[in-house]
Amino acid sequence: MLTNIGKHNWQLENTYARLPAVFFSLQRPVPVAKPEIVCFNERLANDLGLGFLNHEKENSVGYFSGNKIPDGAEPLAQAYAGHQFGHFTMLGDGRAVLLGEQIAPTGKRFDVQLKGSGQTPYSRRGDGRATLYSMLREYLISESIHHLGIPTTRSLSVVSTGEQVFRGEMHKGAVLTRTADSHIRVGTFEYARNFGSTEDLQALTTYTIQRHYPEIIHTDNPALELLKAVMHKQIDLVVHWMRVGFIHGVMNTDNMSIGGETIDYGPCAFMNSYNPRTVFSSIDTRGRYAFGNQSYIAQWNLAVFAGALLPIISENQEKAVGLAQEVIAGFRDRFTEKWYAMMYGKLGILHPDDKDKDLVDGLLSLMETHRADYTQVFLALQQNKELDGSLFRLEEFRGWVEKWKNTHQKDEHKAASLALMHKLNPKVIPRNHWVEDVLEAAVEGNMTPFNQLLNTLSKPYDDHPDGLQFQRIPEGFDAGYQTFCGT
Ligand code: AMP
Ligand code: MG
């Protein structure tokens, strides 16, 4: 039998480079001094058809540092704009290059992008580089989000550069290789609308639809259908985040992917005790991107997206505005419905009726008042356990549990109810103190704790020792915990 030659080669193509030239700048990664692989995602490499690299360390270190360009790549930096904390600005890949799309054995395309790969025409005053700490943080959390069953960009490798990066003080530098369905953002459309022609906007729209939503190509108003499709994906995404307690932290329009993946892992973090106002990002002083605000911000971002699409929704501006507004107006009801459906699932409620909304709201309100751990409470209910802390001693909470059990945990559907809870309630999430501990060791050269945590997080719904699932979260840790953008 003949062997498949393709199995031992990259299958790269860069269709983005066929867009009008305003959308990118051809840019090779800037070589680094002394690249060394710090972590490599063998399973993902296999899925992408890059499994041969598992045995080619020399080549991998070259490709994933940017020192060597794979066949078929057309490295480029993407142009985009965006609203950052509500303010419009020109951005673009200031420290990343897209090599192209790797065509996996399934036929699916994945963008392969190097992040921290040196300066580009969009770097402004930045050095184009990234720290080992922040690239490992993105690797760990994005892989965790993936294994939680949430759409996300993924991490293929982290290579240390042997160079220092200055962020107030010196840090070790690194390059992350990230894969994605695409890197097209709401901000890419804002860029087209503000800095390109209507033809450019149309070209981007057609390209995006072909790549992400081919089923809408032949509809009467593809641009309007695109708005709807992206809205639906974003709603699903934010509902997923709310399910596991994820706070994205910097939902600027340039960090919202048109394909509906979680993208940009700068200041993200997971919530421990339940409080919708939870914010960890050092620069989010007003809590714009707080846990409980995420759906409102998604809607805001989608309104910006709609604004960018107006000229191709209809040539008649008034009509375009009317059509777009109608779509955006549907956000809240759809989100609320999906969010309650998710919360019902977390509580194993198989046949909800309207009264169950009060049951959900009541639980969250008690959890908030008593600062109960978001992940552990659902697990405790699922496993019929009591947690330490004031919530489980409270008469009102006991009453709530009684009511929930009597209504939704009856013998005849208990097994199905628990099976649903099991699917939706993670047993482990990347707790902030774990993440910081393993990263501290990793930048000092000890990858063992990092790899152990990564391994645990790759099976978030499995049973782990109780000590892990119900461990005490260090008192006061969150109060002083801060996360950072773009480090
Ligand atoms: P982010 O906070 O990662 O979403 O980045 C916002 C913008 O700043 C993007 O255009 C990035 O490419 C750019 N950027 C972030 N860090 C750097 C850096 N070290 N050098 C150049 N550009 C950067
Ligand atoms: Mg970004």
Side-chain angles (χ1 to χ4, degrees):
M1 214 169 76
L2 287 172
T3 52
N4 179 351
I5 295 167
K7 274 191 178 157
H8 297 283
N9 282 308
W10 285 81
Q11 300 293 325
L12 273 174
E13 206 172 73
N14 198 336
T15 57
Y16 207 81
R18 309 281 88 78
L19 277 173
V22 287
F23 285 109
F24 58 88
S25 300
L26 293 176
Q27 173 69 54
R28 290 171 77 92
V30 180
V32 304
K34 198 168 166 289
E36 273 174 49
I37 299 247
V38 179
C39 41
F40 187 71
N41 194 335
E42 294 195 4
R43 277 164 68 188
L44 178 59
N46 287 333
D47 292 347
L48 293 171
L50 296 175
F52 64 96
L53 288 172
N54 295 337
H55 317 289
E56 296 181 12
K57 286 279 168 307
E58 199 62 11
N59 279 330
S60 304
V61 84
Y63 294 137
F64 301 124
S65 60
N67 284 8
K68 186 170 176 175
I69 307 295
D71 286 343
E74 286 179 71
L76 59 84
Q78 290 175 318
Y80 53 87
H83 276 79
Q84 299 192 304
F85 289 88
H87 302 285
F88 182 71
T89 176
M90 174 59 200
L91 296 157
D93 287 333
R95 54 164 173 174
V97 293
L98 176 68
L99 296 178
E101 302 123 46
Q102 167 71 8
I103 303 164
T106 57
K108 201 172 155 194
R109 282 167 189 271
F110 293 88
D111 269 14
V112 180
Q113 193 203 55
L114 305 182
K115 181 168 171 182
S117 52
Q119 286 178 321
T120 77
Y122 313 110
S123 296
R124 294 170 291 166
R125 284 180 301 280
D127 59 5
R129 293 298 185 190
T131 63
L132 176 61
Y133 167 91
S134 61
M135 295 304 96
L136 285 173
R137 192 171 192 278
E138 169 155 350
Y139 188 108
L140 185 70
I141 301 187
S142 65
E143 283 305 296
S144 163
I145 286 283
H146 167 75
H147 291 292
L148 283 162
I150 303 176
T152 177
T153 63
R154 295 194 63 188
S155 298
L156 183 58
S157 77
V158 173
V159 175
S160 60
T161 58
E163 295 172 9
Q164 299 279 304
V165 175
F166 185 71
R167 299 285 181 269
E169 51 189 81
M170 287 303 189
H171 294 269
K172 290 178 183 162
V175 175
L176 170 83
T177 301
R178 152 166 106 174
T179 67
D181 279 355
S182 86
H183 287 81
I184 306 168
R185 307 140 190 270
V186 167
T188 318
F189 282 82
E190 292 178 79
Y191 171 80
R193 173 75 201 271
N194 287 279
F195 302 111
S197 64
T198 307
E199 291 71 45
D200 294 331
L201 180 62
Q202 184 63 63
L204 177 66
T205 304
T206 304
Y207 176 82
T208 302
I209 291 175
Q210 275 164 351
R211 207 154 157 196
H212 289 285
Y213 305 99
E215 66 281 5
I216 65 174
I217 289 177
H218 298 297
T219 53
D220 288 345
N221 192 335
L224 192 68
E225 292 304 320
L226 177 65
L227 175 61
K228 277 186 214 164
V230 172
M231 182 170 97
H232 294 172
K233 283 253 170 113
Q234 283 301 325
I235 287 175
D236 291 346
L237 183 64
V238 175
V239 168
H240 268 305
W241 294 349
M242 306 301 284
R243 172 170 69 80
V244 300
F246 179 74
I247 306 164
H248 181 283
V250 63
M251 290 175 69
N252 295 330
T253 54
D254 53 300
N255 293 333
M256 185 190 256
S257 135
I258 293 298
E261 291 183 322
T262 311
I263 186 171
D264 202 307
Y265 283 85
C268 63
F270 278 74
M271 177 175 65
N272 291 316
S273 58
Y274 176 71
N275 183 341
R277 288 177 300 285
T278 307
V279 172
F280 292 112
S281 168
S282 62
I283 57 170
D284 192 4
T285 47
R286 290 165 180 241
R288 178 181 170 94
Y289 300 133
F291 179 71
N293 272 1
Q294 299 188 108
S295 71
Y296 297 94
I297 292 298
Q299 186 175 359
W300 194 92
N301 290 349
L302 287 158
V304 170
F305 182 44
L309 287 172
L310 287 180
I312 52 172
I313 289 176
S314 173
E315 282 173 15
N316 174 337
Q317 193 178 331
E318 210 174 314
K319 188 172 166 207
V321 170
L323 290 169
Q325 270 175 346
E326 199 183 320
V327 173
I328 302 295
F331 181 99
R332 190 53 40 198
D333 280 355
R334 188 178 174 105
F335 176 80
T336 305
E337 188 188 317
K338 296 256 175 176
W339 181 82
Y340 272 114
M342 175 277 287
M343 293 305 288
Y344 293 151
K346 280 177 83 67
L347 290 170
I349 300 177
L350 299 169
H351 307 290
D353 70 32
D354 249 5
K355 286 198 297 294
D356 293 316
K357 289 192 172 161
D358 296 338
L359 203 65
V360 169
D361 298 347
L363 175 64
L364 289 180
S365 151
L366 287 169
M367 282 168 63
E368 183 178 347
T369 311
H370 294 270
R371 304 202 172 114
D373 186 89
Y374 188 64
T375 305
Q376 291 183 357
V377 168
F378 290 98
L379 274 187
L381 291 170
Q382 180 181 321
Q383 301 180 1
N384 203 16
K385 284 196 173 129
E386 296 210 349
L387 295 179
D388 297 343
S390 60
L391 182 69
F392 281 71
R393 289 197 302 273
L394 193 76
E395 208 47 50
E396 203 183 341
F397 180 70
R398 288 176 187 272
W400 183 95
V401 173
E402 204 56 25
K403 191 166 163 197
W404 169 69
K405 280 189 178 165
N406 289 338
T407 326
H408 300 293
Q409 297 289 293
K410 294 206 189 94
D411 285 346
E412 65 268 28
H413 43 235
K414 195 158 178 178
S417 168
L418 289 179
L420 182 60
M421 294 178 83
H422 181 87
K423 256 176 41 191
L424 297 184
N425 295 321
K427 300 220 169 65
V428 290
I429 54 166
R431 299 279 183 183
N432 301 325
H433 65 286
W434 286 351
V435 171
E436 295 311 317
D437 283 352
V438 304
L439 289 177
E440 203 172 300
V443 294
E444 293 306 323
N446 176 10
M447 287 298 289
T448 308
F450 179 96
N451 288 325
Q452 278 167 349
L453 181 57
L454 188 63
N455 190 40
T456 303
L457 294 173
S458 71
K459 300 176 215 77
Y461 301 101
D462 284 9
D463 281 318
H464 295 275
D466 263 6
L468 208 58
Q469 291 168 36
F470 292 110
Q471 79 157 192
R472 265 183 193 285
I473 315 305
E475 195 93 34
F477 184 90
D478 279 0
Y481 187 55
Q482 279 203 325
T483 56
F484 302 91
C485 288
T487 45

